Amino acid sequence: MTASLTEPLTLLLVEDDDGDAFLVEELLKEAEAPPRIIWVRSLRETRPRLTGAIQCVLVDLTLPDASGLEALREVLRLAPHAAVLVLTGLRDAHVGVAAVQAGAQDYLVKQDIDARLLARAIRYAMERKRADLAQLRLVEAELIAKENARLERGLLPVALLRGDRVEQSTRYLPGNQGTLLGGDFLDTVQTPDGAINVVIGDVCGHGPDEAALGVAMRIAWRTLVLAGHNGERLLHTLDALLRAERKAPEIFTTLCTATITPDLRHARMRVVGHPPPLLVRDGVVDVVDGTPSGPPLGIFSDAAWKVIDVPLGAEWSIMLYTDGLIEAARGGHDRPLGVEGLVELVREHGSIDLDRLIEHVGTTDDDLALLLVRGRGA
């Protein structure tokens, strides 16, 4: 019966006995696709031959310059990509078992070898090696994914708020599956004077580069706010950072910032090419008038952004969001929700409920970020 070794391959035979080597070569000639055999007689001759071209190694454990499992360990170290079969004598079968435990795919007793057994053992060894390598890649991918998730979690913001006069809620849904961060970013910082500063932004595009840029923008905004900067000076600094860090000149960023006065009765906003914030003030739902303040960052080097003064009243809620919310189709509809649809939806609910808003819009491939701040004026 013809041996069923059907894949052409390059095989390294490590055997110091001429008779045993001749036997292996003759048996493999009967395979459907006889392999190219490179024959070496010692561990010293083996080392320079263990290149990426070698797909399978047959190694005798009794070599003139190696004893026991020494030759096997060296082969496994130098050729982790290759399938390895160990050749043993009848009295050394127990050594073959130890060799498999050490990393070989299989072992063969020389006295039992025939063409069919040898071809099948090589084929099965190569399949097991492929499975082992696939499993190793899977484990490595899982470890990398866990490390990336830990890194991303560490880059998510923690609001800097004091006291209980202001409540904040956020939702963040990256468009790319399997990630925690997208190009959207948000943050909240209360400065020593008691003012509440919030930001939400959207780096155009999707992917890890945009996510990294979004993190850089958020951290820069937080640093500038804590250093006492605000207004156009802050925006021009962010614009300079964006131009320095972006991968291509066409990448821009929209954002919305708000500074709420310490008495929680008034807000100063700048809407930088971004969707207008939603405001619930004394039970009335509307969008902030006078938006936008000016163009997105990264487009015009001499841009200016006007201030939007917003009286807040006694009891209020402000929701900042990215366009992933209003460009998503509302559940059961093909058309995007839009700003008007968002206002209508909030009016139907009677209040801003972030989870309900997300539930009522359809799935989206875009990043989606929501930031809701509630407060009562002093």
Side-chain angles (χ1 to χ4, degrees), residues 149-171:
R150 288 177 59 192
L151 174 62
E152 290 179 349
R153 279 192 293 271
L155 294 174
L156 291 171
V158 177
L160 298 182
L161 285 172
R162 304 185 304 274
D164 56 3
R165 294 179 57 208
V166 173
E167 298 178 2
Q168 178 199 266
S169 302
T170 63
R171 298 293 184 273

Side-chain angles (χ1 to χ4, degrees), residues 4-311:
S4 56
L5 183 60
T6 57
E7 294 184 11
L9 59 89
T10 299
L11 182 148
L12 181 67
L13 173 61
V14 187
E15 173 60 73
D16 65 324
D17 186 286
D18 292 358
D20 289 340
F22 177 78
L23 174 62
V24 169
E25 290 178 330
E26 290 300 307
L27 292 176
L28 289 178
K29 287 180 181 179
E30 300 181 31
E32 292 180 14
R36 174 175 176 254
I37 300 174
I38 300 174
W39 175 28
V40 295
R41 293 177 171 82
S42 66
L43 184 58
R44 181 179 60 81
E45 293 179 14
T46 300
R47 291 188 179 99
R49 295 288 192 169
L50 288 175
T51 66
I54 301 298
Q55 299 159 277
C56 184
V57 181
L58 294 179
V59 56
D60 183 15
L61 294 184
T62 306
L63 298 175
D65 55 351
S67 60
L69 299 178
E70 180 183 353
L72 171 64
R73 293 193 179 99
E74 185 69 358
V75 168
L76 293 173
R77 185 181 70 84
L78 295 174
H81 58 279
V84 179
L85 287 92
V86 166
L87 298 174
T88 71
L90 279 174
R91 291 180 297 179
D92 297 324
H94 66 285
V95 179
V97 174
V100 172
Q101 294 173 341
Q105 274 62 60
D106 205 349
Y107 73 94
L108 295 170
V109 178
K110 294 179 183 180
Q111 291 81 355
D112 295 338
I113 292 177
D114 59 26
R116 178 182 178 185
L117 174 62
L118 180 58
R120 184 175 63 183
I122 293 173
R123 185 176 70 250
Y124 286 177
M126 294 187 65
E127 290 300 324
R128 281 193 289 273
K129 187 63 179 182
R130 290 192 186 101
D132 290 345
L133 291 175
Q135 179 64 26
L136 180 60
R137 286 192 293 268
L138 177 60
V139 171
E140 290 175 345
E142 290 176 348
L143 290 174
I144 292 172
K146 289 180 180 178
E147 287 300 310
N148 287 341
R150 288 177 59 192
L151 174 62
E152 290 179 349
R153 279 192 293 271
L155 294 174
L156 291 171
V158 177
L160 298 182
L161 285 172
R162 304 185 304 274
D164 56 3
R165 294 179 57 208
V166 173
E167 298 178 2
Q168 178 199 266
S169 302
T170 63
R171 298 293 184 273
Y172 193 100
L173 302 176
N176 291 333
Q177 296 295 323
T179 63
L180 298 176
L181 283 172
D184 290 359
F185 58 93
L186 50 83
D187 206 349
T188 303
V189 172
Q190 186 172 12
T191 47
D193 63 358
I196 308 296
N197 301 269
V198 296
V199 68
I200 197 164
D202 183 358
V203 177
C204 73
H206 303 281
D209 289 339
E210 289 74 18
L213 184 53
V215 170
M217 297 289 285
R218 181 192 70 78
I219 293 175
W221 177 87
R222 172 175 283 208
T223 302
L224 290 167
V225 169
L226 289 173
H229 300 294
N230 53 40
E232 288 212 359
R233 182 179 180 183
L234 181 150
L235 292 176
H236 280 296
T237 304
L238 291 179
D239 183 78
L241 172 72
L242 171 64
R243 295 172 187 274
E245 296 291 333
R246 63 187 177 184
K247 299 295 183 182
E250 65 270 15
I251 294 177
F252 61 89
T253 296
T254 70
L255 58 85
C256 177
T257 66
T259 299
I260 302 165
T261 55
D263 62 2
L264 307 183
R265 304 283 297 190
H266 190 270
R268 292 171 62 84
M269 296 186 181
R270 286 177 173 83
V271 183
V272 182
H274 200 79
L278 196 67
L279 178 63
V280 179
R281 185 171 41 191
D282 297 328
V284 179
V285 182
D286 210 342
V287 294
V288 172
D289 293 331
T291 57
S293 302
L297 301 180
I299 297 180
F300 304 111
S301 58
D302 58 349
W305 300 275
K306 67 181 180 181
V307 178
I308 304 172
D309 290 312
V310 182

